[in-house]
Amino acid sequence: MAAVSFSQLLNGERAVVTLFIVIVLFSLPLSLLLHGVALSLLALFALSVEVRVETSTSLSQFKTRAGASSGLLLGAVTLPTFMLSKLIQQSRAFSLNQVHPGELNYLALQYWAAFGSCFTVLMVLCLLTLDNTRSRSCQAWNVKFGLVCFVIGAALLFLYSTTGLHAIWKLLWVFFHGFAAVKLVQHLLNTFPSCVSFGEALLVTVGLVLYFGDMLAYTIEKLYGYMTSSELVFMQYGFRRSEIGIIIQGLLLGLLLYLVVLKYLLCGWDGFSRSTYSGARICSEKGKSLIFFASLGFLIVVIIPSWMQFVQDFDMHPLLWVVRFVFMEPVKRLSLCLYWVCVIYLSVLRFYNISKNSKIERILLRKYYHLMAVLMFLPAVILQPKFLDLAFGAALAVFLTLEIIRVWRIWPLGQLVHEFMNAFTDHRDSDLLIVSHFSLLLGCALPIWMSSGYNDRPLAPFAGILSLGIGDTMASMVGHKYGVLRWSKTGKKTIEGTAAGITSVLAACSVLLPHLASTGYFLTEHWISLLLAVTVSGLLEAYTAQLDNAFIPLVFYSLLCL
């Protein structure tokens, strides 16, 4: 890194990410000082590896998305900083006796698992780029710097694990997350070439590892309890999970694991049909379709609900629990479902016809779906937040199922879904993997899911809707139509667009806050901190070349929690 000039080291995205980290670190209480040191080390190491990756050819075996920077700094620090912001919020609640100590310990364990996962992936990338340095002195400096980072990171993990009981189990748990993240990043980049950048792959894989590891912890705890009739204290977080959270987690993880099984099922059927029904292609496609829908139905009705009941102890079948939950307030919830169906039908029908017959740029057409998200989710967050949690999980499961059908071309819907989805893709999507609709839905859902339970920042659940549905949309539309002054010579983002995005979010907040106050929320937001959060997320949208639907809501939410 010593051979890299200052102009190469400094760019807009890195400056915004650095500002984001500094704001979070400035808000740290002394009780989280160790966590802040770990985040600082992670950011410094990520910057070093990012510079090395972007000037190296050693990683040419990984085909990343064209036109995007590596994004390693942003991808490495987003989730740990997000978790640290939640820790800051929970520590305030703990000092007021608002949360159980187990919740704070659980969140701390998740933070260190995220830190360990990102740090391990960076270490592997660092090792892969060591043989492509320009000189022996530069190579020696890189080796020393990587070794120092590794020693300090290991020391920080050891210090954390010794604060309390079960140090070995904590270290093994973090190591498991790091190992799984490395393998998953490699699998994602090799299976879906040219679909994601390194930063996007890191964000997705670490998020999946954390989400899967959380469910695995509860499964192990239950198994241990049945086998020994005692509690596994390391896994006992000290608070009961919500039924909705378990249903969403079990459904999404079950579908992701189903992909592994489906691959072998369909490959086996293809081999059988070629040897048995030579030339009968239609019969083979129908057989593949039958296997898919039968196995999917068995998974959703039997296997996944059994897993949920084992973990949570439902008093009835989880699917029946969902039906009962919906009909606890039938008028409100069914009316909301009807409203969503109408909005989706009218919007999709209108925008699909426009995409086929109009010369409107695809990026602007997609922003209409951001506005549609505002129309759908904003009333639900205010009126039916718990039902919206469940609806987000169901929608993500439907999207995942449709993407499986599209990728595998499952008869008779595969080709139809493929043609329909292609009408709304842009340069960040490919025929192999379409991710924009997932990132938009997750960007709106994650702040709402993470705000369940204790929340002293009433605007936090709206972070995704405000930043994507309003800020990002207004920035694109105003910038495209009226933008003249560009942030950089090579980029397309304009100062006018960014100003419009920031102003529109602040205007929306000024409308939301009085309404939230009238519904009983105790408002703790200060306009200076709110302005800072909106500005930083707006600048990130202007400078980043990554998939902003995935990063901006997390950054905005993190700053709102402080």
Side-chain angles (χ1 to χ4, degrees):
M1 197 167 85
V4 180
S5 66
F6 181 76
S7 60
Q8 287 178 291
L9 192 63
L10 182 66
N11 62 38
E13 180 179 295
R14 292 170 186 165
V16 175
V17 174
T18 302
L19 178 60
F20 168 51
I21 296 171
V22 168
I23 293 172
V24 175
L25 293 178
F26 184 75
S27 305
L28 278 179
L30 287 177
S31 59
L32 298 176
L33 183 61
L34 186 66
H35 303 69
V37 173
L39 180 62
S40 303
L41 174 70
L42 181 66
L44 185 63
F45 189 38
L47 176 60
S48 170
V49 176
E50 178 177 282
V51 172
R52 203 176 309 168
V53 165
E54 292 183 353
T55 58
S56 170
T57 58
S58 299
L59 301 177
S60 56
Q61 71 269 28
F62 299 120
K63 305 294 183 183
T64 56
R65 181 163 60 83
S69 60
S70 69
L72 273 173
L73 175 61
L74 179 61
V77 303
T78 297
L79 272 180
T81 311
F82 176 75
M83 303 301 297
L84 187 55
S85 296
K86 285 297 295 182
L87 269 172
I88 295 172
Q89 185 186 44
Q90 293 295 312
S91 65
R92 289 198 303 268
F94 181 71
S95 63
L96 298 172
N97 296 319
Q98 297 290 326
V99 299
H100 192 280
E103 295 185 56
L104 200 62
N105 294 333
Y106 157 72
L107 201 56
L109 183 62
Q110 290 288 78
Y111 168 79
W112 286 102
F115 168 81
S117 300
C118 294
F119 195 85
T120 306
V121 173
L122 291 173
M123 186 59 66
V124 171
L125 292 176
C126 178
L127 293 174
L128 291 176
T129 56
L130 281 179
D131 60 345
N132 195 251
T133 50
R134 298 175 182 175
S135 64
R136 287 183 178 272
S137 60
C138 186
Q139 183 177 12
W141 191 93
N142 288 333
V143 170
K144 291 178 182 178
F145 183 78
L147 183 60
V148 168
C149 289
F150 172 77
V151 170
I152 297 176
L156 290 171
L157 282 172
F158 178 77
L159 287 174
Y160 159 70
S161 64
T162 55
T163 55
L165 301 175
H166 311 287
I168 295 178
W169 283 110
K170 289 179 181 178
L171 288 174
L172 287 176
W173 192 244
V174 173
F175 174 78
F176 160 77
H177 281 77
F179 178 79
V182 169
K183 291 299 182 182
L184 196 55
V185 165
Q186 292 176 335
H187 179 74
L188 179 62
L189 292 173
N190 290 327
T191 306
F192 301 103
S194 304
C195 291
V196 293
S197 67
F198 282 114
E200 292 162 356
L202 186 56
L203 178 71
V204 171
T205 52
V206 173
L208 285 176
V209 169
L210 285 174
Y211 201 50
F212 182 81
D214 180 67
M215 191 70 167
L216 180 62
Y218 280 92
T219 306
I220 293 174
E221 179 194 342
K222 286 289 185 177
L223 284 172
Y224 187 86
Y226 278 117
M227 293 170 60
T228 64
S229 300
S230 63
E231 294 179 348
L232 186 59
V233 180
F234 166 66
M235 298 298 182
Q236 190 66 28
Y237 298 137
F239 63 99
R240 178 178 170 83
R241 298 285 297 277
S242 70
E243 288 84 355
I244 292 177
I246 291 295
I247 288 173
I248 295 172
Q249 203 168 14
L251 182 60
L252 296 180
L253 293 177
L255 286 173
L256 289 172
L257 292 174
Y258 172 63
L259 288 172
V260 180
V261 179
L262 179 66
K263 177 182 178 180
Y264 292 103
L265 285 176
L266 296 186
C267 288
W269 171 255
D270 286 339
F272 172 76
S273 60
R274 273 199 293 275
S275 61
T276 308
Y277 305 105
S278 57
R281 182 176 178 276
I282 295 179
C283 182
S284 174
E285 291 298 318
K286 289 183 177 179
K288 185 165 70 172
S289 176
L290 179 63
I291 290 175
F292 170 77
F293 287 109
S295 59
L296 180 64
F298 183 74
L299 177 80
I300 293 176
V301 175
V302 178
I303 297 179
I304 293 178
S306 299
W307 187 14
M308 296 174 187
Q309 284 184 306
F310 178 76
V311 171
Q312 184 68 16
D313 297 326
F314 284 84
D315 56 355
M316 62 178 65
H317 192 281
L319 294 182
L320 295 178
W321 188 94
V322 170
V323 174
R324 186 183 69 177
F325 176 77
V326 172
F327 283 93
M328 290 175 76
E329 297 182 43
V331 176
K332 293 181 180 179
R333 291 170 181 172
L334 293 179
S335 299
L336 192 57
C337 289
L338 181 62
Y339 168 71
W340 286 340
V341 170
C342 292
V343 172
I344 292 172
Y345 176 77
L346 294 175
S347 301
V348 169
L349 185 64
R350 174 63 176 165
F351 299 153
Y352 183 73
N353 291 332
I354 291 176
S355 69
K356 290 295 185 181
N357 304 314
S358 175
K359 295 182 180 180
I360 296 178
E361 286 196 24
R362 192 68 57 88
I363 186 64
L364 292 180
L365 184 64
R366 287 155 58 92
K367 298 306 175 184
Y368 290 119
Y369 281 93
H370 289 218
L371 292 176
M372 186 181 77
V374 176
L375 289 176
M376 291 178 62
F377 304 143
L378 191 58
V381 177
I382 298 172
L383 300 175
Q384 286 288 325
K386 290 185 178 180
F387 182 62
L388 182 60
D389 287 351
L390 187 63
F392 272 133
L396 281 169
V398 170
F399 279 0
L400 185 56
T401 303
L402 290 176
E403 187 66 8
I404 295 171
I405 292 173
R406 187 193 69 84
V407 171
W408 286 95
R409 296 294 197 274
I410 302 297
W411 182 88
L413 301 175
Q415 188 60 32
L416 293 175
V417 173
H418 177 70
E419 292 175 358
F420 178 80
M421 294 301 299
N422 270 348
F424 306 104
T425 57
D426 66 5
H427 64 281
R428 292 172 295 189
D429 294 308
S430 67
D431 287 344
L432 194 59
L433 191 65
I434 298 177
V435 298
S436 296
H437 55 301
F438 285 104
S439 62
L440 175 60
L441 191 64
L442 273 172
C444 294
L446 282 175
I448 297 172
W449 286 343
M450 292 298 293
S451 298
S452 59
Y454 176 82
N455 178 39
D456 60 350
R457 297 292 187 263
L459 281 179
F462 300 90
I465 299 171
L466 291 172
S467 60
L468 298 181
I470 296 177
D472 188 31
T473 302
M474 292 302 297
S476 293
M477 291 184 171
V478 173
H480 181 266
K481 191 170 184 179
Y482 303 106
V484 176
L485 304 173
R486 300 189 183 278
W487 284 105
S488 64
K489 296 179 180 179
T490 57
K492 296 181 179 180
K493 305 296 179 64
T494 64
I495 296 176
E496 294 88 347
T498 302
I502 293 173
T503 304
S504 62
V505 173
L506 288 174
C509 292
S510 67
V511 174
L512 267 177
L513 284 173
H515 174 76
L516 292 173
S518 67
T519 57
Y521 278 99
F522 177 70
L523 299 183
T524 55
E525 274 87 0
H526 299 285
W527 279 104
I528 295 178
S529 60
L530 177 60
L531 178 61
L532 198 60
V534 174
T535 302
V536 171
S537 58
L539 289 174
L540 182 62
E541 190 275 336
Y543 277 116
T544 186
Q546 307 303 305
L547 189 60
D548 49 11
N549 287 359
F551 290 98
I552 294 175
L554 298 180
V555 171
F556 190 33
Y557 179 90
S558 300
L559 295 175
L560 285 177
C561 285
L562 300 179

